[in-house]
Short mmCIF file of all heavy atoms in Angstrom, two decimals:
data_model
loop_
_atom_site.label_atom_id
_atom_site.label_comp_id
_atom_site.label_asym_id
_atom_site.label_seq_id
_atom_site.Cartn_x
_atom_site.Cartn_y
_atom_site.Cartn_z
N THR A 5 3.17 18.76 -22.21
CA THR A 5 2.82 19.62 -23.33
C THR A 5 3.07 21.10 -22.88
O THR A 5 2.17 21.88 -22.81
CB THR A 5 1.21 19.45 -23.62
OG1 THR A 5 0.59 19.44 -22.28
CG2 THR A 5 1.00 18.15 -24.33
N ARG A 30 -6.68 21.37 -22.78
CA ARG A 30 -7.02 19.98 -22.38
C ARG A 30 -7.63 19.90 -20.94
O ARG A 30 -8.49 19.29 -20.69
CB ARG A 30 -5.71 19.15 -22.49
CG ARG A 30 -5.52 18.63 -23.81
CD ARG A 30 -4.56 17.45 -23.71
NE ARG A 30 -4.56 16.75 -25.00
CZ ARG A 30 -3.98 15.55 -25.24
NH1 ARG A 30 -3.17 14.97 -24.21
NH2 ARG A 30 -3.92 14.94 -26.38
N ASP A 33 -11.05 20.99 -21.19
CA ASP A 33 -11.88 19.91 -21.88
C ASP A 33 -12.23 18.87 -20.80
O ASP A 33 -13.31 18.32 -20.69
CB ASP A 33 -11.07 19.18 -22.97
CG ASP A 33 -10.93 20.13 -24.19
OD1 ASP A 33 -11.64 21.01 -24.22
OD2 ASP A 33 -10.06 19.79 -25.08
N ALA A 34 -11.24 18.51 -19.93
CA ALA A 34 -11.42 17.50 -18.95
C ALA A 34 -12.49 18.02 -18.03
O ALA A 34 -13.35 17.25 -17.63
CB ALA A 34 -10.07 17.35 -18.26
N ARG A 37 -15.81 17.55 -19.58
CA ARG A 37 -16.04 16.06 -19.65
C ARG A 37 -16.62 15.69 -18.28
O ARG A 37 -17.58 14.91 -18.19
CB ARG A 37 -14.85 15.40 -19.94
CG ARG A 37 -15.15 13.98 -20.49
CD ARG A 37 -14.04 13.24 -21.06
NE ARG A 37 -12.84 14.09 -21.49
CZ ARG A 37 -11.66 13.96 -20.90
NH1 ARG A 37 -11.49 13.20 -19.85
NH2 ARG A 37 -10.69 14.71 -21.46
N LEU A 38 -15.91 16.15 -17.28
CA LEU A 38 -16.38 15.61 -15.87
C LEU A 38 -17.62 16.37 -15.49
O LEU A 38 -18.33 16.01 -14.45
CB LEU A 38 -15.30 15.89 -14.76
CG LEU A 38 -14.45 14.70 -14.56
CD1 LEU A 38 -13.62 14.96 -13.33
CD2 LEU A 38 -15.26 13.40 -14.35
N LEU A 53 -15.26 2.41 -4.50
CA LEU A 53 -15.23 0.95 -4.50
C LEU A 53 -13.68 0.58 -4.32
O LEU A 53 -13.40 -0.47 -3.73
CB LEU A 53 -15.59 0.36 -5.92
CG LEU A 53 -17.01 0.10 -5.97
CD1 LEU A 53 -17.35 -0.40 -7.39
CD2 LEU A 53 -17.45 -1.18 -5.05
N TRP A 54 -12.72 1.41 -4.77
CA TRP A 54 -11.44 1.03 -4.60
C TRP A 54 -10.77 1.39 -3.35
O TRP A 54 -9.65 1.01 -3.05
CB TRP A 54 -10.64 1.67 -5.91
CG TRP A 54 -10.31 0.55 -6.89
CD1 TRP A 54 -9.11 -0.08 -7.14
CD2 TRP A 54 -11.33 -0.06 -7.78
NE1 TRP A 54 -9.34 -0.95 -8.11
CE2 TRP A 54 -10.60 -1.05 -8.45
CE3 TRP A 54 -12.68 0.02 -8.03
CZ2 TRP A 54 -11.21 -1.86 -9.50
CZ3 TRP A 54 -13.22 -0.70 -8.93
CH2 TRP A 54 -12.56 -1.65 -9.71
N THR A 58 -10.68 -1.16 1.88
CA THR A 58 -9.36 -0.93 2.58
C THR A 58 -9.64 -0.21 3.91
O THR A 58 -9.22 -0.47 5.03
CB THR A 58 -8.26 -0.36 1.79
OG1 THR A 58 -8.24 -1.04 0.55
CG2 THR A 58 -6.95 -0.59 2.49
N THR A 64 -11.49 -1.27 11.29
CA THR A 64 -11.74 -2.45 12.08
C THR A 64 -10.49 -2.77 12.94
O THR A 64 -10.76 -3.13 14.11
CB THR A 64 -12.06 -3.66 11.15
OG1 THR A 64 -13.21 -3.41 10.33
CG2 THR A 64 -12.30 -4.87 11.88
N ILE A 72 -16.18 -5.43 17.00
CA ILE A 72 -15.99 -5.98 15.62
C ILE A 72 -16.98 -6.99 15.28
O ILE A 72 -17.59 -7.19 14.33
CB ILE A 72 -14.56 -6.44 15.49
CG1 ILE A 72 -13.58 -5.33 15.60
CG2 ILE A 72 -14.45 -7.24 14.08
CD1 ILE A 72 -12.14 -5.87 15.59
N ARG A 73 -17.28 -7.93 16.41
CA ARG A 73 -18.07 -9.07 16.24
C ARG A 73 -19.60 -8.74 16.25
O ARG A 73 -20.39 -9.34 15.66
CB ARG A 73 -17.84 -10.13 17.31
CG ARG A 73 -16.90 -11.18 16.81
CD ARG A 73 -16.95 -12.45 17.65
NE ARG A 73 -15.73 -12.41 18.61
CZ ARG A 73 -15.79 -12.64 19.84
NH1 ARG A 73 -16.91 -12.84 20.44
NH2 ARG A 73 -14.80 -12.60 20.58
N GLY A 76 -21.10 -3.39 12.49
CA GLY A 76 -20.28 -3.11 11.34
C GLY A 76 -19.35 -1.99 11.57
O GLY A 76 -19.56 -1.13 12.62
N TRP A 78 -18.70 0.66 10.04
CA TRP A 78 -19.25 2.04 9.81
C TRP A 78 -19.90 2.63 10.94
O TRP A 78 -20.12 3.81 10.98
CB TRP A 78 -20.28 1.93 8.47
CG TRP A 78 -21.23 0.82 8.62
CD1 TRP A 78 -22.38 0.90 9.23
CD2 TRP A 78 -20.99 -0.51 8.27
NE1 TRP A 78 -22.96 -0.31 9.22
CE2 TRP A 78 -22.15 -1.21 8.61
CE3 TRP A 78 -19.98 -1.19 7.58
CZ2 TRP A 78 -22.36 -2.57 8.25
CZ3 TRP A 78 -20.20 -2.52 7.33
CH2 TRP A 78 -21.40 -3.27 7.72
N ASN A 108 11.45 -12.09 9.47
CA ASN A 108 11.58 -13.04 8.38
C ASN A 108 11.51 -12.44 7.04
O ASN A 108 12.28 -12.66 6.13
CB ASN A 108 10.70 -14.21 8.55
CG ASN A 108 11.06 -15.15 9.64
OD1 ASN A 108 12.09 -15.04 10.19
ND2 ASN A 108 10.16 -16.05 10.02
N LEU A 126 24.69 -7.36 -14.74
CA LEU A 126 25.84 -7.91 -15.43
C LEU A 126 25.35 -8.64 -16.76
O LEU A 126 26.07 -8.39 -17.88
CB LEU A 126 26.62 -8.93 -14.63
CG LEU A 126 27.32 -8.39 -13.41
CD1 LEU A 126 27.95 -9.46 -12.62
CD2 LEU A 126 28.32 -7.31 -13.80
N TYR A 129 24.44 -6.07 -19.34
CA TYR A 129 25.57 -5.50 -19.90
C TYR A 129 26.12 -6.29 -21.00
O TYR A 129 26.35 -5.83 -22.04
CB TYR A 129 26.61 -5.22 -18.83
CG TYR A 129 27.96 -4.58 -19.30
CD1 TYR A 129 28.12 -3.26 -19.49
CD2 TYR A 129 28.98 -5.46 -19.75
CE1 TYR A 129 29.23 -2.62 -19.99
CE2 TYR A 129 30.09 -4.86 -20.22
CZ TYR A 129 30.18 -3.52 -20.38
OH TYR A 129 31.33 -2.90 -20.82
N ASP A 135 30.14 -8.24 -27.84
CA ASP A 135 29.72 -8.95 -29.02
C ASP A 135 30.21 -10.47 -28.78
O ASP A 135 31.35 -10.80 -28.46
CB ASP A 135 30.50 -8.44 -30.13
CG ASP A 135 29.63 -7.57 -31.14
OD1 ASP A 135 28.44 -8.01 -31.19
OD2 ASP A 135 30.13 -6.61 -31.61
N LEU A 149 11.93 -17.15 -21.40
CA LEU A 149 11.81 -17.89 -20.17
C LEU A 149 10.68 -17.21 -19.20
O LEU A 149 10.28 -17.83 -18.33
CB LEU A 149 13.16 -18.00 -19.45
CG LEU A 149 14.04 -18.99 -19.99
CD1 LEU A 149 15.36 -18.96 -19.28
CD2 LEU A 149 13.40 -20.37 -19.78
N ILE A 151 7.86 -17.04 -19.95
CA ILE A 151 6.62 -17.88 -20.13
C ILE A 151 6.56 -18.88 -19.01
O ILE A 151 5.43 -19.29 -18.60
CB ILE A 151 6.85 -18.78 -21.48
CG1 ILE A 151 6.77 -17.87 -22.69
CG2 ILE A 151 5.76 -19.85 -21.56
CD1 ILE A 151 6.70 -18.64 -23.95
N GLN A 155 5.18 -22.33 -11.02
CA GLN A 155 4.66 -23.61 -10.57
C GLN A 155 5.32 -24.88 -11.05
O GLN A 155 5.56 -25.83 -10.52
CB GLN A 155 3.14 -23.76 -10.81
CG GLN A 155 2.30 -22.93 -9.86
CD GLN A 155 1.98 -21.52 -10.33
OE1 GLN A 155 2.58 -20.99 -11.22
NE2 GLN A 155 1.06 -20.84 -9.70
N ILE A 156 5.72 -24.64 -12.45
CA ILE A 156 6.23 -25.89 -13.15
C ILE A 156 7.57 -26.21 -12.64
O ILE A 156 8.03 -27.35 -12.79
CB ILE A 156 6.17 -25.55 -14.65
CG1 ILE A 156 6.17 -26.86 -15.44
CG2 ILE A 156 7.34 -24.75 -15.03
CD1 ILE A 156 5.89 -26.71 -16.92
N PRO A 160 10.71 -30.12 -8.78
CA PRO A 160 12.05 -30.44 -9.05
C PRO A 160 13.13 -29.60 -8.24
O PRO A 160 14.06 -30.09 -7.65
CB PRO A 160 12.28 -30.20 -10.55
CG PRO A 160 10.97 -30.26 -11.02
CD PRO A 160 9.98 -29.83 -10.13
N GLN A 164 15.77 -30.80 -5.43
CA GLN A 164 17.31 -30.47 -5.36
C GLN A 164 17.63 -29.89 -3.93
O GLN A 164 18.60 -30.28 -3.39
CB GLN A 164 17.60 -29.46 -6.43
CG GLN A 164 17.54 -30.00 -7.84
CD GLN A 164 18.62 -31.09 -7.98
OE1 GLN A 164 19.65 -31.06 -7.37
NE2 GLN A 164 18.26 -32.06 -8.82
N SER A 173 15.80 -23.52 5.59
CA SER A 173 16.67 -22.23 5.97
C SER A 173 16.19 -21.24 4.83
O SER A 173 15.32 -21.41 4.06
CB SER A 173 18.15 -22.58 5.83
OG SER A 173 18.48 -22.84 4.42
N TRP A 175 18.06 -19.99 2.54
CA TRP A 175 18.76 -20.20 1.29
C TRP A 175 17.84 -20.55 0.01
O TRP A 175 17.99 -19.94 -1.02
CB TRP A 175 19.97 -21.10 1.42
CG TRP A 175 20.90 -20.66 2.40
CD1 TRP A 175 20.98 -20.88 3.77
CD2 TRP A 175 22.09 -19.69 2.16
NE1 TRP A 175 21.91 -20.18 4.33
CE2 TRP A 175 22.62 -19.40 3.47
CE3 TRP A 175 22.54 -19.00 1.06
CZ2 TRP A 175 23.69 -18.58 3.58
CZ3 TRP A 175 23.60 -18.14 1.22
CH2 TRP A 175 24.18 -18.01 2.60
N ASN A 244 5.42 -9.22 -0.99
CA ASN A 244 3.94 -9.66 -1.08
C ASN A 244 3.80 -11.14 -1.53
O ASN A 244 2.59 -11.65 -1.57
CB ASN A 244 3.18 -8.76 -2.02
CG ASN A 244 3.02 -7.41 -1.48
OD1 ASN A 244 2.99 -7.19 -0.23
ND2 ASN A 244 2.87 -6.43 -2.29
N LEU A 246 3.41 -14.99 -1.77
CA LEU A 246 2.96 -16.04 -0.94
C LEU A 246 3.43 -17.48 -1.37
O LEU A 246 3.91 -18.27 -0.64
CB LEU A 246 1.36 -16.15 -0.92
CG LEU A 246 0.66 -17.30 -0.21
CD1 LEU A 246 1.01 -17.15 1.33
CD2 LEU A 246 -0.75 -17.29 -0.32
N LEU A 250 5.47 -20.15 0.77
CA LEU A 250 4.71 -21.38 1.25
C LEU A 250 5.49 -22.57 0.84
O LEU A 250 5.55 -23.55 1.62
CB LEU A 250 3.39 -21.22 0.56
CG LEU A 250 2.11 -21.81 1.21
CD1 LEU A 250 2.02 -21.31 2.61
CD2 LEU A 250 1.02 -21.58 0.37
N ASP A 257 10.70 -20.93 11.27
CA ASP A 257 11.86 -19.96 11.38
C ASP A 257 11.98 -19.10 10.19
O ASP A 257 12.70 -18.04 10.27
CB ASP A 257 13.10 -20.88 11.58
CG ASP A 257 13.44 -21.01 13.02
OD1 ASP A 257 12.73 -20.46 13.84
OD2 ASP A 257 14.35 -21.84 13.34
N PHE A 294 5.73 2.20 -1.60
CA PHE A 294 4.94 2.55 -2.77
C PHE A 294 4.62 3.99 -2.91
O PHE A 294 4.79 4.58 -3.90
CB PHE A 294 3.68 1.59 -2.78
CG PHE A 294 2.76 1.96 -3.91
CD1 PHE A 294 3.00 1.36 -5.21
CD2 PHE A 294 1.72 2.77 -3.68
CE1 PHE A 294 2.11 1.73 -6.17
CE2 PHE A 294 0.84 3.10 -4.76
CZ PHE A 294 1.01 2.57 -6.00
N VAL A 310 4.62 -0.70 -22.12
CA VAL A 310 4.45 -0.17 -23.36
C VAL A 310 5.54 0.75 -23.77
O VAL A 310 6.13 1.44 -22.95
CB VAL A 310 3.18 0.71 -23.49
CG1 VAL A 310 2.05 -0.08 -24.13
CG2 VAL A 310 2.78 1.23 -22.14
N LEU B 4 24.59 -21.35 9.46
CA LEU B 4 24.05 -20.69 8.32
C LEU B 4 22.61 -21.28 7.88
O LEU B 4 21.88 -20.63 7.11
CB LEU B 4 24.86 -20.86 7.06
CG LEU B 4 26.22 -19.98 7.22
CD1 LEU B 4 27.16 -20.36 6.01
CD2 LEU B 4 25.97 -18.59 7.19
N LEU B 5 22.36 -22.58 8.36
CA LEU B 5 21.12 -23.21 7.93
C LEU B 5 20.02 -23.08 8.92
O LEU B 5 18.83 -23.06 8.61
CB LEU B 5 21.37 -24.60 7.64
CG LEU B 5 22.37 -24.90 6.43
CD1 LEU B 5 22.57 -26.32 6.16
CD2 LEU B 5 21.70 -24.19 5.14
N THR B 7 18.45 -20.82 11.87
CA THR B 7 18.48 -19.57 12.66
C THR B 7 17.34 -19.42 13.55
O THR B 7 16.24 -19.72 13.09
CB THR B 7 18.41 -18.34 11.62
OG1 THR B 7 17.46 -18.72 10.65
CG2 THR B 7 19.75 -18.18 10.99
N LYS B 13 19.30 -14.24 12.30
CA LYS B 13 18.81 -14.13 10.98
C LYS B 13 19.45 -12.98 10.29
O LYS B 13 19.80 -13.12 9.04
CB LYS B 13 17.28 -13.93 10.99
CG LYS B 13 16.55 -15.14 11.42
CD LYS B 13 15.12 -14.85 11.69
CE LYS B 13 14.29 -16.18 12.24
NZ LYS B 13 12.90 -15.91 12.61
N MET B 28 31.24 -12.15 -6.62
CA MET B 28 31.07 -11.31 -7.80
C MET B 28 32.34 -10.50 -8.03
O MET B 28 32.89 -10.36 -9.18
CB MET B 28 29.92 -10.39 -7.74
CG MET B 28 28.61 -11.10 -7.75
SD MET B 28 28.48 -12.35 -8.84
CE MET B 28 28.37 -11.39 -10.40
N GLN B 42 37.96 -12.14 -25.15
CA GLN B 42 36.53 -11.69 -25.01
C GLN B 42 35.64 -12.76 -24.43
O GLN B 42 34.71 -12.48 -23.53
CB GLN B 42 35.99 -11.33 -26.37
CG GLN B 42 34.61 -10.94 -26.42
CD GLN B 42 34.32 -9.42 -26.25
OE1 GLN B 42 35.17 -8.72 -25.70
NE2 GLN B 42 33.07 -8.96 -26.72
N PHE B 49 30.30 -12.24 -17.10
CA PHE B 49 29.13 -11.35 -16.93
C PHE B 49 27.82 -12.18 -17.09
O PHE B 49 26.85 -11.79 -16.49
CB PHE B 49 29.12 -10.26 -18.05
CG PHE B 49 30.00 -9.05 -17.57
CD1 PHE B 49 31.31 -9.17 -17.50
CD2 PHE B 49 29.41 -7.91 -17.32
CE1 PHE B 49 32.16 -8.14 -17.16
CE2 PHE B 49 30.12 -6.79 -17.00
CZ PHE B 49 31.58 -6.94 -16.92
N VAL B 57 19.41 -19.61 -14.25
CA VAL B 57 18.18 -19.77 -15.15
C VAL B 57 18.01 -21.17 -15.70
O VAL B 57 16.97 -21.81 -15.60
CB VAL B 57 18.25 -18.76 -16.18
CG1 VAL B 57 17.33 -19.14 -17.29
CG2 VAL B 57 17.80 -17.41 -15.69
N TYR B 63 15.81 -26.65 -16.53
CA TYR B 63 15.74 -28.01 -16.08
C TYR B 63 14.66 -28.56 -15.37
O TYR B 63 14.06 -29.61 -15.67
CB TYR B 63 17.14 -28.31 -15.34
CG TYR B 63 17.19 -29.47 -14.41
CD1 TYR B 63 17.35 -30.70 -14.89
CD2 TYR B 63 16.95 -29.22 -13.04
CE1 TYR B 63 17.24 -31.79 -14.02
CE2 TYR B 63 16.87 -30.32 -12.21
CZ TYR B 63 17.03 -31.56 -12.62
OH TYR B 63 16.98 -32.67 -11.80
N THR B 68 9.47 -31.60 -14.73
CA THR B 68 8.08 -31.56 -14.45
C THR B 68 7.22 -32.14 -15.63
O THR B 68 6.31 -32.81 -15.53
CB THR B 68 7.48 -30.15 -14.15
OG1 THR B 68 8.22 -29.72 -12.97
CG2 THR B 68 6.02 -30.15 -13.78
N VAL B 123 -9.52 7.76 -18.53
CA VAL B 123 -10.14 8.81 -19.40
C VAL B 123 -10.85 9.83 -18.51
O VAL B 123 -10.72 11.03 -18.68
CB VAL B 123 -11.11 8.15 -20.36
CG1 VAL B 123 -11.86 9.30 -21.04
CG2 VAL B 123 -10.31 7.41 -21.41
N ASP B 126 -8.43 12.01 -16.30
CA ASP B 126 -7.30 12.62 -17.09
C ASP B 126 -7.36 14.05 -16.98
O ASP B 126 -8.39 14.79 -17.28
CB ASP B 126 -7.31 12.18 -18.55
CG ASP B 126 -6.15 12.62 -19.30
OD1 ASP B 126 -5.10 12.57 -18.69
OD2 ASP B 126 -6.24 12.87 -20.44
N ARG B 127 -6.39 14.67 -16.49
CA ARG B 127 -6.13 16.21 -16.43
C ARG B 127 -7.16 16.88 -15.60
O ARG B 127 -7.52 17.98 -15.82
CB ARG B 127 -6.15 16.81 -17.88
CG ARG B 127 -4.77 16.62 -18.51
CD ARG B 127 -4.89 16.97 -20.00
NE ARG B 127 -4.34 15.71 -20.76
CZ ARG B 127 -3.08 15.77 -21.23
NH1 ARG B 127 -2.32 16.86 -21.14
NH2 ARG B 127 -2.65 14.74 -21.94
N THR B 128 -7.86 16.14 -14.74
CA THR B 128 -8.67 16.92 -13.70
C THR B 128 -7.84 17.35 -12.56
O THR B 128 -6.70 16.95 -12.48
CB THR B 128 -9.85 15.92 -13.21
OG1 THR B 128 -9.19 14.87 -12.54
CG2 THR B 128 -10.74 15.48 -14.33
N PHE B 139 -4.66 2.81 -7.73
CA PHE B 139 -3.32 2.12 -7.87
C PHE B 139 -2.92 1.37 -6.73
O PHE B 139 -2.23 0.42 -6.73
CB PHE B 139 -2.32 3.18 -8.44
CG PHE B 139 -1.14 2.53 -9.01
CD1 PHE B 139 -1.20 1.38 -9.72
CD2 PHE B 139 0.15 3.15 -8.90
CE1 PHE B 139 -0.03 0.82 -10.29
CE2 PHE B 139 1.28 2.60 -9.52
CZ PHE B 139 1.19 1.49 -10.17
N ALA B 143 0.00 -2.36 -4.33
CA ALA B 143 1.11 -2.46 -3.42
C ALA B 143 0.82 -3.36 -2.20
O ALA B 143 1.68 -3.78 -1.47
CB ALA B 143 1.40 -1.05 -2.71
N SER B 145 -0.31 -6.94 -0.62
CA SER B 145 -0.17 -8.37 -1.02
C SER B 145 -1.61 -8.92 -1.32
O SER B 145 -2.57 -8.52 -0.83
CB SER B 145 0.51 -9.22 0.05
OG SER B 145 -0.48 -9.28 1.12
N PHE B 155 -13.58 -9.66 4.34
CA PHE B 155 -14.36 -8.88 5.38
C PHE B 155 -15.67 -8.21 4.69
O PHE B 155 -16.61 -8.16 5.34
CB PHE B 155 -13.42 -7.90 6.00
CG PHE B 155 -13.95 -7.26 7.22
CD1 PHE B 155 -14.45 -8.05 8.27
CD2 PHE B 155 -14.06 -5.81 7.38
CE1 PHE B 155 -14.93 -7.46 9.38
CE2 PHE B 155 -14.50 -5.27 8.43
CZ PHE B 155 -15.07 -5.96 9.47
N LYS B 160 -23.57 -12.57 8.05
CA LYS B 160 -24.31 -12.71 9.29
C LYS B 160 -25.77 -12.85 8.89
O LYS B 160 -26.23 -12.26 7.87
CB LYS B 160 -24.20 -11.40 10.18
CG LYS B 160 -22.86 -11.22 10.89
CD LYS B 160 -22.85 -11.91 12.16
CE LYS B 160 -21.39 -12.24 12.61
NZ LYS B 160 -20.64 -11.12 12.90
N GLN B 166 -25.23 -6.58 10.75
CA GLN B 166 -24.26 -6.95 9.77
C GLN B 166 -22.77 -6.46 10.04
O GLN B 166 -22.74 -5.33 10.65
CB GLN B 166 -24.59 -6.52 8.36
CG GLN B 166 -25.89 -7.16 7.87
CD GLN B 166 -25.78 -8.62 7.78
OE1 GLN B 166 -24.84 -9.18 7.33
NE2 GLN B 166 -26.90 -9.40 8.35
N THR B 167 -21.76 -7.32 9.81
CA THR B 167 -20.39 -6.75 9.86
C THR B 167 -19.71 -6.66 8.54
O THR B 167 -18.70 -5.93 8.37
CB THR B 167 -19.57 -7.68 10.78
OG1 THR B 167 -19.77 -9.03 10.30
CG2 THR B 167 -20.09 -7.59 12.25
N GLN B 172 -24.55 -5.67 4.41
CA GLN B 172 -25.29 -4.55 5.00
C GLN B 172 -25.96 -3.78 3.88
O GLN B 172 -27.10 -3.40 4.02
CB GLN B 172 -24.27 -3.54 5.73
CG GLN B 172 -24.84 -2.26 6.31
CD GLN B 172 -25.84 -2.72 7.44
OE1 GLN B 172 -25.46 -2.88 8.59
NE2 GLN B 172 -27.08 -2.72 7.11
N TRP B 201 -9.97 -5.88 -8.68
CA TRP B 201 -9.67 -4.68 -7.91
C TRP B 201 -8.19 -4.51 -7.70
O TRP B 201 -7.64 -3.39 -7.74
CB TRP B 201 -10.29 -5.16 -6.44
CG TRP B 201 -10.21 -4.06 -5.48
CD1 TRP B 201 -10.98 -2.92 -5.29
CD2 TRP B 201 -9.37 -4.06 -4.33
NE1 TRP B 201 -10.65 -2.26 -4.23
CE2 TRP B 201 -9.69 -2.86 -3.55
CE3 TRP B 201 -8.31 -4.82 -3.81
CZ2 TRP B 201 -8.98 -2.53 -2.39
CZ3 TRP B 201 -7.63 -4.55 -2.62
CH2 TRP B 201 -8.01 -3.36 -1.90
N ILE B 210 -0.81 2.27 -17.17
CA ILE B 210 -0.26 2.08 -18.52
C ILE B 210 -1.17 2.88 -19.44
O ILE B 210 -0.60 3.56 -20.35
CB ILE B 210 -0.18 0.59 -18.80
CG1 ILE B 210 0.59 -0.17 -17.75
CG2 ILE B 210 0.38 0.51 -20.22
CD1 ILE B 210 1.95 -0.54 -18.15
N ILE B 218 -1.03 10.65 -26.87
CA ILE B 218 -1.66 10.91 -28.09
C ILE B 218 -1.41 12.39 -28.43
O ILE B 218 -1.58 13.24 -27.61
CB ILE B 218 -3.26 10.75 -27.89
CG1 ILE B 218 -3.59 9.24 -27.47
CG2 ILE B 218 -3.94 11.03 -29.21
CD1 ILE B 218 -5.05 9.09 -27.08
N ASP B 220 -1.43 16.05 -29.69
CA ASP B 220 -2.50 17.10 -29.56
C ASP B 220 -3.23 17.36 -30.83
O ASP B 220 -4.40 17.67 -30.93
CB ASP B 220 -1.93 18.34 -29.01
CG ASP B 220 -1.59 18.33 -27.49
OD1 ASP B 220 -2.44 17.65 -26.86
OD2 ASP B 220 -0.63 18.90 -27.07
N ILE B 223 -6.20 15.24 -31.57
CA ILE B 223 -7.35 15.57 -30.75
C ILE B 223 -7.99 16.88 -31.32
O ILE B 223 -9.16 16.98 -31.35
CB ILE B 223 -6.93 15.77 -29.33
CG1 ILE B 223 -6.54 14.35 -28.83
CG2 ILE B 223 -8.00 16.27 -28.47
CD1 ILE B 223 -5.81 14.39 -27.40
N LYS B 227 -11.69 17.56 -32.77
CA LYS B 227 -12.48 18.55 -32.16
C LYS B 227 -13.13 19.57 -33.20
O LYS B 227 -14.29 19.94 -33.11
CB LYS B 227 -11.82 19.34 -30.98
CG LYS B 227 -12.69 19.33 -29.78
CD LYS B 227 -11.89 20.09 -28.64
CE LYS B 227 -10.72 19.23 -28.13
NZ LYS B 227 -9.73 20.05 -27.62
N LYS B 262 -1.42 -17.45 -13.35
CA LYS B 262 -0.53 -18.05 -12.43
C LYS B 262 -0.95 -17.81 -10.96
O LYS B 262 -0.35 -18.35 -9.98
CB LYS B 262 0.93 -17.53 -12.67
CG LYS B 262 1.44 -17.67 -14.08
CD LYS B 262 2.80 -17.18 -14.12
CE LYS B 262 3.13 -16.66 -15.56
NZ LYS B 262 4.37 -15.85 -15.52
N PHE B 284 -3.08 -27.00 -8.44
CA PHE B 284 -1.61 -27.52 -8.55
C PHE B 284 -1.08 -27.45 -7.04
O PHE B 284 -0.47 -28.52 -6.76
CB PHE B 284 -0.81 -26.58 -9.41
CG PHE B 284 0.61 -26.62 -9.09
CD1 PHE B 284 1.39 -27.69 -9.64
CD2 PHE B 284 1.24 -25.67 -8.22
CE1 PHE B 284 2.76 -27.70 -9.32
CE2 PHE B 284 2.56 -25.76 -8.01
CZ PHE B 284 3.40 -26.78 -8.52
N TYR B 285 -1.16 -26.45 -6.38
CA TYR B 285 -0.66 -26.39 -5.02
C TYR B 285 -1.30 -27.48 -4.19
O TYR B 285 -0.51 -28.22 -3.47
CB TYR B 285 -0.89 -25.06 -4.32
CG TYR B 285 -0.26 -25.04 -2.95
CD1 TYR B 285 1.16 -24.74 -2.85
CD2 TYR B 285 -0.99 -25.20 -1.86
CE1 TYR B 285 1.71 -24.68 -1.54
CE2 TYR B 285 -0.41 -25.24 -0.57
CZ TYR B 285 0.95 -24.96 -0.44
OH TYR B 285 1.50 -25.00 0.83
N PHE B 305 1.52 -23.92 -18.07
CA PHE B 305 2.51 -23.52 -19.03
C PHE B 305 2.01 -23.44 -20.49
O PHE B 305 2.11 -22.41 -21.16
CB PHE B 305 3.59 -24.59 -18.96
CG PHE B 305 4.79 -24.35 -19.91
CD1 PHE B 305 5.40 -23.13 -19.86
CD2 PHE B 305 5.26 -25.31 -20.74
CE1 PHE B 305 6.52 -22.93 -20.73
CE2 PHE B 305 6.30 -25.05 -21.57
CZ PHE B 305 6.91 -23.83 -21.53
#
Side-chain angles (χ1 to χ4, degrees):
Chain A
T5 44
R30 275 199 167 185
D33 290 348
R37 199 172 337 117
L38 260 193
L53 271 174
W54 258 254
T58 315
T64 302
I72 296 173
R73 260 194 263 136
W78 47 90
N108 289 348
L126 293 180
Y129 176 87
D135 255 327
L149 281 175
I151 291 186
Q155 280 93 344
I156 204 172
Q164 288 301 324
S173 71
W175 300 88
N244 288 332
L246 175 65
L250 212 52
D257 264 354
F294 173 84
V310 261
Chain B
L4 291 176
L5 292 179
T7 43
K13 288 173 184 172
M28 293 317 290
Q42 172 95 340
F49 276 68
V57 158
Y63 157 76
T68 300
V123 170
D126 189 34
R127 281 167 232 261
T128 57
F139 196 35
S145 69
F155 191 54
K160 287 273 157 66
Q166 296 299 315
T167 51
Q172 178 68 80
W201 185 76
I210 306 254
I218 300 174
D220 281 326
I223 292 172
K227 230 180 291 159
K262 301 182 214 168
F284 157 81
Y285 180 83
F305 180 53

